[in-house]
Amino acid sequence: MAQCTRKSALLEELEAAWAIAKKDIKIYYLKAPTLMFAILFPFAMFFAFAVGREMPVATLVPGLVSITVFFSASSIGPSALPLERRIKAYDRLVCAPISPYTVMVGKVLSGAIFGLVIGSIILAACLPVFGLQIISLPGLLLGLILASFCFSMLGIMLAMFPRENPGDVMLLLNFIRLPLIFISGIFIKIEMLPYWGQVASAFSPLTYANDLMRLALEGASAFDPLLSAALLISFSAAFLYIGRRIDLKFRE
Amino acid sequence: MPSAVELSGLTKRYGEIVAVDHISFEVKEGEIFGFLGPNGAGKTTTISMLTGLVTPTEGTAKIFGHDIRKEAKEAKRCVGIVWEESNVYPELSALENLNFAGEIYHVVKRQREAKALELLEKFGLSERKDGKVGGFSKGMKRRIAISMALINSPRLLFLDEPTAGLDVQSNIVIREAVKEENRKGTTVFLTTHNIEEANQMCHRIAIINHGKIIAIDRPENLRRTIKSAQSVQVSFEEDAETGEAELGKIPSVRRVIKEGHRFRLFTEDPPAALEGIWDYARSHGIRILEINTLGPTLEDVFINLTGTAQAGAGGRS
């Protein structure tokens, strides 16, 4: 009969979040939409806009790593959630005795780990090829980890719209992602942007992720790294909150 | 007997549309409770509210005394749900699906692993435990979905059309498993279009139409409510020239329909109708081959109450 054996509530939620993340890792990492939007897309963007321009390698590599993390971490949620809605597997998560935030955190974890792994592979490959060194390890860790979580949360927030086709959410996500890469100092330095562009860049989490990457690989940053870290955490919290509000809105 | 489910004035509105309109009833612990209604009557919305998928607009619902809104986690903790669609993960193996369900229901690892193997054995899927569920038949996927719902040994099992579209063998396996769970004490809340299934399995049945509960009782009591659906079924020797019109003239017979080579004569007084049929046969020199009295079926009750013809046969009494 009923199992009411209780662990601590927090431990239960953490275990459930990890179970959701593990399941997503097994299922969605090698799906075609994930691979296309998470890996091919940032490379295509990078080669289209960066290669052939008179930019130093040390400036290009942080940008490549940033947009790879940006695209890969934010792609898992929009690939996974609509597919789970289509087969009603998402209902199973909503009806389970876990917090709605736990479901979101589980989903965020799988996206963040994906972004972290793909970003690290790209970085590890670029370092010897371009003869670069890691100048600030704390900057690199902060940048990779916080950016992965923040961008994954952005994807989950948009995936909270109750769509059953991954393409619908990806379309919405790209509507946000594509403009952000042009105003966040990836291909054009922020100080070279027009005034409105510089103002807009302050509202892009990619600006702060890229700045931390620049600190890690160039040793220079436009913002205080602690401010960048705090802002990435704030963006993540805001995306989590808005995502939950979207979910609630469509459950009314 | 304590209540497993208790609804009070539960309502769901979508703008101007009232999908569920102030419904109140209770499901007693240990019973199999059938929830019937035509398409769009409010069944799925009711289950969606009870399981936390949809937020009620008004009213309250409790599961084992836990308010579904204020104590959602406690209410959900002792519930298992089988949806109309087998919402299993096709990319995972049977065992991985069950383990995942156990993890999100907080079943401890050792218990979860033992229970998963036990359920796979019970549903005849042990040999396929490591096979990807995507390659399973519809019936096997449904058995996995039911196993996932049972992994936390729930006190209350919600079943939404558990046997819809399945082969006979899977139907039998699933019905027997549900009855067995009920014998062990699990309360079952069953939504089905299959009226005969509800008739066979349920201790009590509620019928919902246009978002309102229009009847709630034991199946036999519901059948008794419509005397007009009592009938006499008769077949005559092959060369007898008999028609509905002539049989319809027998006193007490209200309506006659032809069912294959048989006639079904609806009456509120079966003994009088029987006498009338014998008199008719004697006076016309016709031999009766077969004659039966039929009580109203649950399907008759359903049609009478909802005005909707349903597929899925009725029973004879």
Side-chain angles (χ1 to χ4, degrees):
Chain A
M1 285 297 4
Q3 303 308 314
C4 291
T5 318
R6 301 292 299 271
K7 299 173 193 168
S8 88
L10 179 64
L11 185 63
E12 278 186 352
E13 297 292 331
L14 289 174
E15 283 181 352
W18 178 237
I20 292 168
K22 272 190 307 180
K23 182 260 302 166
D24 280 1
I25 289 168
K26 275 184 196 162
I27 296 177
Y28 300 109
Y29 274 17
L30 294 177
K31 289 253 182 208
T34 311
L35 294 175
M36 191 174 83
F37 284 104
I39 300 171
L40 294 181
F41 213 67
F43 269 87
M45 294 295 297
F46 183 78
F47 286 112
F49 290 98
V51 173
R53 294 175 62 195
E54 295 296 320
M55 287 177 82
V57 168
T59 305
L60 284 177
V61 174
L64 175 63
V65 175
S66 298
I67 61 166
T68 305
V69 173
F70 185 42
F71 275 84
S72 53
S74 59
S75 290
I76 294 289
S79 298
L81 270 165
L83 289 174
E84 294 200 341
R85 278 205 185 85
R86 192 185 296 167
I87 61 166
K88 310 290 177 203
Y90 184 64
D91 291 355
R92 183 182 297 287
L93 303 181
V94 174
C95 295
I98 51 179
S99 157
Y101 286 107
T102 300
V103 177
M104 292 174 79
V105 168
K107 298 273 170 202
V108 169
L109 262 177
S110 62
I113 293 169
F114 190 61
L116 202 56
V117 169
I118 301 292
S120 301
I121 291 171
I122 299 299
L123 179 67
C126 286
L127 289 178
V129 170
F130 297 109
L132 294 173
Q133 283 190 329
I134 296 167
I135 295 166
S136 167
L137 187 61
L140 178 70
L141 292 177
L142 268 181
L144 277 178
I145 294 169
L146 293 181
S148 297
F149 274 89
C150 183
F151 300 147
S152 177
M153 197 63 252
L154 171 69
I156 296 298
M157 177 186 79
L158 296 177
M160 285 294 138
F161 285 102
R163 311 299 301 181
E164 294 187 353
N165 177 17
D168 294 346
V169 184
M170 284 294 183
L171 192 72
L172 185 60
L173 181 61
N174 285 334
F175 192 71
I176 293 171
R177 287 196 298 199
L178 295 180
L180 288 191
I181 61 174
F182 293 102
I183 59 159
S184 304
I186 304 285
F187 304 123
I188 308 160
K189 287 198 169 180
I190 292 170
E191 50 271 28
M192 293 169 71
L193 291 171
Y195 176 72
W196 65 264
Q198 292 185 30
V199 172
S201 74
F203 296 96
S204 163
L206 186 57
T207 301
Y208 307 103
N210 188 50
D211 204 53
L212 286 170
M213 287 299 156
R214 284 183 59 204
L215 173 70
L217 299 176
E218 287 182 70
S221 64
F223 306 99
D224 182 329
L226 288 179
L227 174 69
S228 294
L231 285 168
L232 284 173
I233 292 169
S234 305
F235 274 114
S236 305
F239 294 152
L240 183 72
Y241 176 76
I242 297 167
R244 176 65 185 139
R245 301 308 304 172
I246 293 169
D247 191 39
L248 272 177
K249 175 74 191 159
F250 287 101
R251 265 176 218 298
E252 280 174 3
Chain B
M1 203 177 282
S3 295
V5 184
E6 205 178 335
L7 284 72
S8 177
L10 199 67
T11 303
K12 183 67 194 175
R13 287 193 202 91
Y14 293 102
E16 295 295 305
I17 298 163
V18 185
V20 174
D21 193 0
H22 296 90
I23 61 169
S24 302
F25 62 85
E26 64 174 326
V27 178
K28 294 183 182 72
E29 186 168 6
E31 73 176 340
I32 301 182
F33 186 84
F35 198 50
L36 306 184
N39 288 336
K43 298 189 300 287
T44 303
T45 308
T46 304
I47 288 209
S48 295
M49 286 192 281
L50 289 174
T51 53
L53 276 178
V54 169
T55 312
T57 314
E58 241 180 82
T60 58
K62 289 179 180 173
I63 291 177
F64 291 108
H66 300 294
D67 189 290
I68 56 162
R69 298 175 80 176
K70 293 174 190 158
E71 301 165 277
K73 273 176 72 177
E74 293 307 319
K76 288 173 175 178
R77 187 177 287 274
C78 299
V79 166
I81 309 162
V82 180
W83 285 268
E84 187 173 357
E85 287 177 58
S86 297
N87 54 353
V88 293
Y89 294 99
E91 299 88 349
L92 300 183
S93 72
L95 198 55
E96 285 170 336
N97 266 287
L98 264 68
N99 262 318
F100 174 67
E103 282 179 289
I104 58 171
Y105 275 81
H106 316 302
V107 183
V108 292
K109 191 177 180 196
R110 196 185 304 167
Q111 209 173 337
R112 172 172 86 224
E113 287 172 350
K115 184 77 179 181
L117 293 174
E118 178 198 319
L119 286 166
L120 289 171
E121 176 72 37
K122 180 177 178 174
F123 284 100
L125 295 165
S126 287
E127 289 178 8
R128 302 289 299 272
K129 69 183 167 67
D130 297 317
K132 294 270 188 286
V133 170
F136 285 15
S137 69
K138 193 176 177 183
M140 289 162 79
K141 281 181 186 164
R142 187 60 56 90
R143 281 182 262 167
I144 292 290
I146 295 177
S147 303
M148 289 169 85
L150 294 173
I151 193 81
N152 61 326
S153 308
R155 291 172 72 186
L156 170 65
L157 186 61
F158 283 104
L159 295 164
D160 191 4
E161 303 286 350
T163 57
L166 299 187
D167 58 281
V168 176
Q169 193 199 355
S170 293
N171 272 350
I172 293 167
V173 169
I174 289 168
R175 281 180 196 160
E176 280 312 307
V178 170
K179 283 181 187 170
E180 193 190 321
E181 284 303 316
N182 177 251
R183 281 194 291 272
K184 287 195 277 180
T186 307
T187 308
V188 178
F189 190 109
L190 171 73
T191 302
T192 181
H193 275 94
N194 188 334
I195 293 168
E196 182 54 18
E197 182 172 77
N199 190 34
Q200 280 181 19
M201 291 180 72
C202 298
H203 300 124
R204 284 196 310 142
I205 285 170
I207 298 177
I208 185 170
N209 198 23
H210 300 301
K212 292 186 176 183
I213 300 292
I214 51 172
I216 181 163
D217 212 330
R218 291 162 62 183
E220 53 273 29
N221 290 346
L222 286 174
R223 282 196 298 267
R224 262 185 232 134
T225 59
I226 47 166
K227 282 185 175 176
S228 57
Q230 295 178 99
S231 59
V232 176
Q233 194 181 53
V234 61
S235 67
F236 299 103
E237 60 188 352
E238 280 177 23
D239 54 349
E241 287 179 11
T242 311
E244 288 109 308
E246 281 188 62
L247 290 169
K249 289 174 190 162
I250 295 173
S252 88
V253 171
R254 205 169 39 79
R255 186 164 63 100
V256 180
I257 56 170
K258 196 160 190 226
E259 296 173 335
H261 63 280
R262 297 187 183 94
F263 293 94
R264 192 167 171 193
L265 290 70
F266 287 88
T267 175
E268 289 183 21
D269 188 356
L274 276 172
E275 260 180 57
I277 292 165
W278 286 119
D279 289 346
Y280 171 84
R282 265 196 301 269
S283 64
H284 288 75
I286 305 169
R287 208 159 67 90
I288 294 172
L289 293 179
E290 188 186 359
I291 190 160
N292 293 300
T293 57
L294 305 177
T297 64
L298 197 56
E299 187 179 14
D300 294 325
V301 178
F302 188 90
I303 293 168
N304 188 51
L305 289 172
T306 65
T308 313
Q310 289 272 303
R316 181 169 295 189
S317 63

